[in-house]
């Protein structure tokens, strides 16, 4: 039996803005509130009653299949379509065309944390009779996104990807409903951007693209700052996810982690499996991956500490990404925007860094 709606999640990007964490894992597989980020999205799709899901993979494709297999653990029928050479967002959508059996296809960017009821987006699509429906949200600064003006009836009038001069604060939230036949029209066998090519070209042809606008929780997790905030919002229950059993309060400590009794964990901090937090350490909005260590008296704020990395005693780490296995010496200061490359060892000398090391 074919399912009436299928979902495609685009997960082929390289996650460059989250390097060096994305050197060892693709962005959607980075741990967030106890699960790979993608698990939160897949659980929302399942919650909406959609079970047939295709992952459009490219970068580190095998990591997804190794973790999710056929999707049965999540109650899904998961299949994979891999681009040997990345085909971009539009090319990635076109590339799964032969694997699609349903007439209605929900497409998701794989790095969005959202609270929108997916069924409502489908309803909007069905009611308007459009060929494509875009989920839109309003943001303070639209320049980093696809800016999408609409008319009084909710029809999309233009699609302006990452423009410096956005005419509206309504942006593309990265969830689309496509009538399957439209996917078949995307040029095959080459890289295509759905944002820069497919949507503008459909609009130029006068085709009906409709908007579903709402005010639900929404965040693109593509930068360290957003990743940290999204993770904290999941822990605190501000971002809803069926994969987080209940709001955890100010922190989430996963199995096998050891946290000193006088350590302070606030701001939606996550302490990964087997991680160690020393006496008097203070973690505020920290994302500590499995196996990492934060030694006595260290302060970690709004930062991501990679797998098995160690933060030395009395170090100060703020708005920083520390790569897997790196060692930050005692009393070092890592400040706004610093990124420590995997395996790097910074000596115990209290040096201050605010750039890549
Ligand atoms: N399969 C495949 N192949 N997937 C890809 C490829 C590719 O070549 N390139 C990117 N992706 C996936 C990424 O893994 C990600 O899940 C999604 O497509 C979007 O790519 P990003 O690199 O995260 O794009 P963005 O955040 O700069 O902008 C996009 O998302 C915004 C909302 O979050 C655009 O769609 C914007 O218009 C939108 O506002
Ligand atoms: Mg993104």
């Amino acid at each position: 039996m074919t399912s009436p709606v299928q979902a495609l999640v685009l997960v082929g990007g390289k996650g460059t803005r989250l390097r060096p964490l994305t050197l060892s894992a693709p962005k959607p597989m980075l741990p967030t509130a106890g699960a790979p980020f993608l698990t939160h999205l897949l659980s929302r799709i399942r919650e909406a009653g959609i079970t047939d899901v295709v992952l459009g993979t490219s970068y580190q494709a095998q990591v997804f299949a190794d973790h999710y297999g056929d999707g049965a653990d999540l109650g899904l029928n998961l299949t994979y379509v891999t681009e040997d050479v990345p085909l971009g967002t539009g090319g990635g959508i076109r590339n799964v065309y032969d694997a699609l059996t349903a007439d209605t296809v929900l497409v998701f960017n794989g790095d969005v944390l959202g609270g929108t009821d997916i069924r409502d987006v489908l309803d909007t699509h069905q009611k308007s009779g459009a060929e494509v429906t875009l989920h839109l949200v309003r943001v303070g600064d639209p320049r980093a996104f696809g800016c999408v003006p609409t008319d009084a009836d909710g029809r999309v009038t233009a699609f302006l990807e990452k423009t410096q001069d956005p005419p509206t604060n309504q942006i593309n939230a990265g969830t689309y409903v496509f009538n399957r036949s439209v996917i078949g029209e995307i040029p095959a066998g080459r890289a295509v951007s759905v944002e820069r090519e497919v949507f503008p070209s459909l609009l130029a042809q006068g085709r009906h693209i409709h908007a579903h606008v709402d005010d639900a929780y929404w965040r693109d997790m593509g930068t360290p700052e957003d990743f940290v905030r999204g993770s904290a919002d999941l822990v605190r229950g501000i971002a809803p996810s069926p994969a987080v059993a209940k709001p955890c309060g100010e922190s989430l400590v996963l199995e096998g982690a050891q946290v000193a009794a006088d350590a302070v964990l606030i701001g939606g901090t996550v302490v990964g499996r087997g991680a160690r937090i020393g006496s008097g350490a203070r973690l505020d909005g920290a994302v500590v991956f499995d196996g990492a260590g934060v030694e006595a008296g260290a302060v970690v704020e709004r930062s991501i500490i990679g797998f098995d990395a160690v933060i030395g005693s009395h170090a100060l780490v703020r708005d920083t990404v520390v790569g897997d296995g790196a060692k930050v010496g005692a009393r070092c200061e890592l400040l706004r925007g610093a990124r420590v490359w995997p395996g790097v060892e910074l000596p115990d000398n209290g040096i201050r860094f605010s750039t890549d090391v």
Side-chain angles (χ1 to χ4, degrees):
M1 201 181 85
T2 55
S3 115
V5 178
Q6 270 175 302
L8 161 65
V9 187
L10 294 170
V11 293
K14 293 196 175 82
T16 48
R17 288 165 294 179
L18 277 171
R19 277 188 195 155
L21 301 170
T22 45
L23 297 175
S24 61
K27 170 166 64 175
M29 295 305 287
L30 293 176
T32 331
F37 173 73
L38 183 59
T39 299
H40 301 291
L41 175 56
L42 292 175
S43 305
R44 281 183 52 235
I45 293 171
R46 178 68 191 83
E47 193 184 51
I50 297 158
T51 51
D52 239 332
V53 182
V54 184
L55 292 187
T57 59
S58 175
Y59 178 67
Q60 299 198 6
Q62 194 57 38
V63 177
F64 297 96
D66 288 348
H67 185 86
Y68 293 110
D70 64 3
D73 289 354
L74 290 172
L76 297 173
N77 169 30
L78 259 191
T79 50
Y80 304 84
V81 176
T82 302
E83 299 147 47
D84 297 331
V85 177
L87 292 171
T89 47
I93 297 170
R94 177 63 177 88
N95 196 48
V96 305
Y97 182 66
D98 292 339
L100 299 172
T101 48
D103 290 333
T104 305
V105 184
L106 263 163
V107 178
F108 296 87
N109 283 349
D111 63 343
V112 169
L113 184 58
T116 296
D117 188 329
I118 293 166
R119 285 274 146 201
D120 291 346
V121 186
L122 285 167
D123 278 355
T124 299
H125 182 73
Q126 259 121 35
K127 283 186 186 131
S128 76
E131 293 185 274
V132 180
T133 297
L134 311 183
H135 175 216
L136 309 181
V137 289
R138 299 180 192 91
V139 295
D141 182 359
R143 287 175 301 177
F145 303 104
C147 176
V148 188
T150 46
D151 69 13
D153 299 326
R155 266 179 95 122
V156 170
T157 55
F159 195 109
L160 307 154
E161 180 68 7
K162 302 194 175 92
T163 175
Q164 279 309 302
D165 194 15
T168 162
N169 65 351
Q170 248 176 209
I171 61 120
N172 168 27
T175 297
Y176 321 124
V177 189
F178 273 89
N179 287 352
R180 178 173 177 271
S181 59
V182 180
I183 296 179
E185 296 176 37
I186 299 173
R190 67 165 170 91
V192 180
S193 161
V194 76
E195 299 89 348
R196 296 180 193 277
E197 191 174 339
V198 176
F199 296 143
S201 135
L202 288 170
L203 291 169
Q205 295 166 36
R207 310 276 289 271
H208 184 179
I209 303 186
H210 212 80
H212 177 90
V213 191
D214 69 11
D215 295 312
Y217 182 95
W218 185 87
R219 184 174 298 281
D220 177 305
M221 299 284 272
T223 65
E225 190 185 11
D226 282 310
F227 189 86
V228 159
R229 289 187 53 185
S231 173
D233 287 346
L234 279 166
V235 170
R236 299 206 282 197
I238 295 168
S241 168
V244 177
K246 55 180 169 30
C248 315
E250 281 296 288
S251 65
L252 171 62
V253 176
L254 297 168
E255 310 86 70
Q258 294 167 30
V259 178
D262 62 349
V264 176
L265 308 180
I266 56 173
T269 286
V270 182
V271 179
R273 297 177 180 82
R276 302 162 316 278
I277 310 298
S279 173
R282 181 185 156 86
L283 280 66
D284 185 352
V287 184
V288 178
F289 286 3
D290 297 355
V294 175
E295 295 182 346
V299 174
V300 180
E301 295 175 355
R302 299 181 301 272
S303 296
I304 309 165
I305 312 302
F307 294 105
D308 302 315
V310 177
I311 307 302
S313 60
H314 301 283
L316 169 62
V317 177
R318 182 180 288 156
D319 301 308
T320 285
V321 176
V322 177
D324 301 340
K327 293 197 168 38
V328 173
R331 295 176 304 283
C332 277
E333 292 186 13
L334 294 163
L335 300 174
R336 181 144 200 90
R339 299 198 192 205
V340 183
W341 236 241
V344 164
E345 297 196 13
L346 300 177
D348 291 347
N349 55 12
I351 289 180
R352 172 179 294 189
F353 300 93
S354 55
T355 52
D356 286 15
V357 281

